[in-house]
Amino acid sequence: MEQIPGTAPKATPRRRPAGKGARRPAETLPVARVLVDVSLSHLDRPFDYLVPVEMDAAAVPGCRVRVRFAGQLVDGFLLDRVADSDHDGRLSFLERVVSPEPVLTPEIAALGREIADRYAGTLADVLRLAVPPRHARIEAEPPPEPEEWRPDPPAPGPWAHYPAGPSFLTALAEGRAPRAVWTALPGPHWPEAVARAVQATLAGGRGALVVLADGRQVARVDAALAEALEGSSRHVALTAEPGPAERYRRWLAVLRGRARAVVGTRAAMFAPVRDLGLVVLWDDGDDVHAEPHAPYPHPREVLALRAHRSGAGALIGGFTRTAEATVLVETGWAHALVAERQRIRTVMPRVRPAGEDGELAKDEAARTARLPVLALRTARQALRDGPVLVQVPRRGYLPGLRCGRCREPARCAACQGPLALRSSHAAPYCRWCGRIAGDWRCPECGGGRVRAAVVGARRTAEELGRAFPGVPVRTSGRDGVLDRVGAAPALVVSTPGAEPVADGGYAAALLLDGWVLLGRADLRAAEEALRRWMNAAALVRPAGPVIVLADGSLPPVQALLRWDPVTLAERELADRRELGFPPAVRMASLTGTPAAIRELLAETRLPPGAQVLGPVPVPGEGIGEQAGEPERQRALVRVPRAAGPALGRALKQAQGVRSARRAADPVRVQIDPLELI
């Protein structure tokens, strides 16, 4: 078992005196180092316990145990067994070995420690993300017979369209560790490309791990792997859909080495793949990848660390490129994997902008559907050949309202939250507190009528149904996500990320309300707008028309027109470097009460060059203040990129001091959060 960093030198422990009926420690390696499942920062270290002789065989490194800690029975992981302890007092015995299954591997334990230190968290929190809950019935099932099988190296297939693609596969098949940032060609072939990369890795005798944004993507790559590996059971899909028991069964297959390839969603980034040879992350800019639980690790960072520690290859891909992935290329950690411009022009759709202020068609149908003449004409022509995709940035019916007279935003009289409509027959309601505002009056002009500020997907589908009578209209979004649609003519209205794949590709796509994406108060607004547009446009047939309702002179729109996400990513990185924003620097977000933030900053020994910005009130916290809760603020700490690890350690130590003092008000610490402004 790998030694966990931070343990003190060994010494001989004082043991309980042996007496009648007394428990005796094991003869060999009697001291167990246990990580207790406690998230307090000042307790983030192993504690020593004695292994009773009756548990000697079951108490193996990596197993689950129960111990007495601070007077309570708590869960824990046995990290290691040693001959002596540095504890001067009397050691307690393990209460119970929950299971002799070594569910925590040395690689994941060491990785978890590094992730906890980097993100100013605790190892216990990381292991809650890494090791799924136990199912005793599944553990007791006899494991299948091991399958001695290795696939043949694959043909290049889709990788032949990239100058460096075949050599990338060859390096994987030879057991080397190539690292690439992949800008994928538009079209439906990326799952096959991922499957061939995994096949090449398995042909080289090593394992592979693929992390995707959602279950639909997992299903597509899982099907491609089943075809590439000829239905072999050497790969599994780890998602929440099959249920906890089946997911644990598949996870055990990975742990025990029967499954050498894993494809899954965010939680699969910690899958214990043996002899890891390749990590794959698709669409790393998708905010679904952001972990909502402490210490908030991002799969891009976790997989990059795993590749570095394991000597594995890495493939970070997508139709677009993030500024973070551009840093990997710029620093030489990875190489760019892109197609030649001539090939891109052959397969890309034909994108045209239609400004928001453009002339509407003169017929009533166009005015009803809120479409410029170019978009209306494109949709009508394309419907003769197949389905048309309509991307709407907002879900719901009318998620934003304004006064019909003075155009001021309509807000709730109780909490000042935004008002919205669920349907054409419903009364306005508050999106924050849920109160009905049927008697709403504008505080500025006294008007009682409202109009749409933002139109959602359901209202758009309703309008398109009136503008295109007789054409089926299907919706895909939060209320129900479609996986696929047929090749028959139809209008498919979807929110970003929920676009279904069309058989044979879409005949055209309309990207509505571009101002909603570009006008977001977000550091990544331009990058995110291009990502959502290109993910939708990539589903259109080669040379198929795509109309984007946005100003054609803006850099993200220009990048979409040229199908050139790399240039925009490089420009974004240059701008952030000039302004001092991630990923050019490392930044920590501290959220809590003003007093708690001041206390944490006072205890933190910040690295040289650190800047503290704020604290300022947290946006959208008005509801808590109305309920009498303390005001919440946020401070940002900015350091040079090289000082990122030192910042994480400093904040973790300060959190440990506050934890030891039992500070009443917690402070949430996030390193490089997605939402900065």
Side-chain angles (χ1 to χ4, degrees):
M1 179 73 182
E2 183 173 333
Q3 182 67 36
I4 302 299
T7 55
K10 301 176 182 179
T12 303
R14 289 173 55 193
R15 303 179 184 177
R16 297 173 183 263
K20 186 176 180 180
R23 304 176 77 181
R24 293 185 300 108
E27 295 296 330
T28 306
L29 303 178
V31 178
R33 288 189 166 155
V34 177
L35 180 79
V36 294
D37 189 9
V38 176
S39 296
L40 297 176
S41 297
H42 70 289
L43 300 177
D44 186 27
R45 61 183 178 85
F47 292 87
D48 291 350
Y49 289 84
L50 288 176
V51 179
V53 65
E54 64 269 18
M55 300 181 190
D56 188 18
V60 298
C63 72
R64 291 182 169 100
V65 296
R66 295 273 284 176
V67 296
R68 184 74 60 178
F69 187 82
Q72 296 182 340
L73 275 176
V74 297
D75 295 320
F77 290 100
L78 195 157
L79 299 178
D80 198 6
R81 287 183 60 173
V82 295
D84 300 302
S85 171
D86 61 341
H87 183 62
D88 293 332
R90 189 173 63 178
L91 296 182
S92 299
F93 282 96
L94 298 178
E95 292 291 332
R96 182 162 65 95
V97 174
V98 177
S99 166
E101 187 80 41
V103 293
L104 180 60
T105 65
E107 182 216 353
I108 299 303
L111 175 69
R113 170 53 64 198
E114 188 168 358
I115 292 296
D117 293 342
R118 177 177 292 250
Y119 283 91
T122 65
L123 180 55
D125 283 338
V126 176
L127 296 186
R128 288 195 197 101
L129 304 176
V131 182
R134 177 177 180 252
H135 286 260
R137 177 178 58 84
I138 303 301
E139 262 187 19
E141 294 177 352
E145 291 295 326
E147 180 185 2
E148 296 296 333
W149 177 82
R150 183 182 293 188
D152 296 327
W159 292 109
H161 302 314
Y162 305 86
S167 60
F168 179 78
L169 288 188
T170 300
L172 292 174
E174 293 176 353
R176 290 183 280 146
R179 298 168 185 165
V181 172
W182 173 35
T183 306
L185 288 168
H189 305 297
W190 67 266
E192 180 186 353
V194 170
R196 288 178 184 260
V198 172
Q199 181 182 353
T201 306
L202 267 61
R206 304 188 70 182
L209 171 60
V210 182
V211 177
L212 306 168
D214 57 46
R216 295 186 303 137
Q217 293 179 355
V218 171
R220 294 177 63 189
V221 174
D222 185 45
L225 278 173
E227 181 177 354
L229 304 180
E230 301 175 352
S232 168
S233 61
R234 302 294 281 179
H235 85 280
V236 295
L238 293 181
T239 62
E241 281 77 4
E246 177 59 27
R247 186 178 187 279
Y248 191 61
R249 179 183 288 111
R250 298 178 184 182
W251 187 86
L252 282 179
V254 180
L255 176 71
R256 294 167 177 172
R258 185 176 63 84
R260 299 297 306 279
V262 176
V263 54
T265 48
R266 181 180 61 235
M269 60 183 168
F270 292 107
V273 179
R274 289 191 182 180
D275 194 13
L276 188 63
L278 175 67
V279 295
V280 181
L281 179 62
W282 174 257
D283 200 8
D284 65 301
D286 196 327
D287 56 8
V288 175
H289 286 305
E291 175 58 55
H293 301 104
Y296 317 105
H298 195 283
R300 180 177 49 243
E301 293 280 337
V302 174
L303 295 180
L305 282 173
R306 291 195 71 175
H308 178 75
R309 296 177 62 88
S310 304
L315 182 63
I316 299 176
F319 295 120
T320 59
R321 182 194 285 185
T322 61
E324 287 79 6
T326 304
V327 169
L328 300 179
V329 176
E330 187 180 84
T331 57
W333 190 87
H335 295 282
L337 190 55
V338 297
E340 296 178 343
R341 287 302 305 176
Q342 184 57 43
R343 179 64 189 176
I344 295 174
R345 294 189 186 99
T346 302
V347 298
M348 66 178 283
R350 297 295 177 258
V351 185
R352 296 182 62 183
E356 299 290 348
D357 298 327
E359 179 188 359
L360 292 179
K362 295 182 180 179
D363 59 20
E364 183 63 29
R367 289 194 295 271
T368 300
R370 302 179 296 113
L371 294 179
V373 59
L374 176 61
L376 180 76
R377 185 171 62 246
T378 299
R380 283 179 171 168
Q381 292 175 353
L383 282 170
R384 303 170 187 170
D385 302 323
V388 173
L389 176 65
V390 182
Q391 185 191 72
V392 183
R394 296 286 182 87
R395 61 176 182 262
Y397 191 75
L398 293 180
L401 299 175
R402 293 183 180 273
C403 174
R405 181 186 297 174
C406 69
R407 305 297 193 266
E408 282 293 315
R411 295 193 172 275
C412 174
C415 70
Q416 296 303 306
L419 298 185
L421 278 177
R422 290 190 176 94
S423 70
S424 58
H425 305 294
Y429 77 100
C430 176
R431 289 170 51 196
W432 285 3
C433 67
R435 298 188 184 187
I436 302 298
D439 56 349
W440 178 85
R441 288 285 176 180
C442 177
E444 299 294 330
C445 68
R449 297 178 62 86
V450 295
R451 60 173 291 153
V454 181
V455 178
R458 286 195 289 112
R459 175 61 179 264
T460 301
E462 183 180 289
E463 294 172 347
L464 290 174
R466 292 195 294 264
F468 294 88
V471 177
V473 180
R474 306 186 66 183
T475 60
S476 181
R478 183 178 183 180
D479 296 334
V481 178
L482 300 176
D483 184 36
R484 303 190 71 90
V485 294
L491 288 165
V492 181
V493 182
S494 172
T495 53
E499 299 92 350
V501 177
D503 294 339
Y506 287 99
L510 308 179
L511 310 178
L512 304 186
D513 299 337
W515 62 271
V516 174
L517 296 178
L518 295 173
R520 296 169 58 201
D522 192 331
L523 176 67
R524 297 172 172 82
E527 183 182 278
E528 179 66 7
L530 180 63
R531 188 190 70 82
R532 295 185 179 190
W533 288 338
M534 293 190 77
N535 283 354
L539 302 175
V540 178
R541 302 166 187 170
V546 174
I547 308 300
V548 54
L549 270 64
D551 185 352
S553 64
L554 298 175
V557 182
Q558 283 292 311
L560 178 64
L561 298 181
R562 300 190 305 269
W563 206 268
D564 183 17
V566 175
T567 299
L568 182 71
E570 292 173 345
R571 175 174 178 167
E572 281 285 307
L573 179 58
D575 289 345
R576 295 186 200 176
R577 182 174 286 117
E578 181 178 353
L579 298 173
F581 283 111
V585 299
R586 302 305 296 264
M587 191 171 282
S589 169
L590 315 178
T591 306
T593 62
I597 293 176
R598 286 195 301 268
E599 181 184 359
L600 178 63
L601 289 174
E603 295 290 348
T604 305
R605 296 182 179 179
L606 294 175
Q611 291 179 290
V612 179
L613 310 176
V616 297
V618 177
E621 292 290 330
I623 306 174
E625 295 172 19
Q626 293 290 331
E629 297 179 3
E631 178 190 12
R632 288 168 57 82
Q633 295 187 353
R634 184 179 69 167
L636 299 176
V637 182
R638 177 167 56 193
V639 299
R641 185 169 179 83
L647 175 63
R649 290 192 298 269
L651 288 172
K652 181 175 180 178
Q653 291 171 1
Q655 287 279 64
V657 172
R658 297 190 74 247
S659 173
R661 291 176 181 170
R662 299 185 179 181
D665 297 325
V667 177
R668 184 178 65 185
V669 177
Q670 291 180 275
I671 304 296
D672 290 343
L674 288 182
E675 295 183 0
L676 283 174
I677 58 176

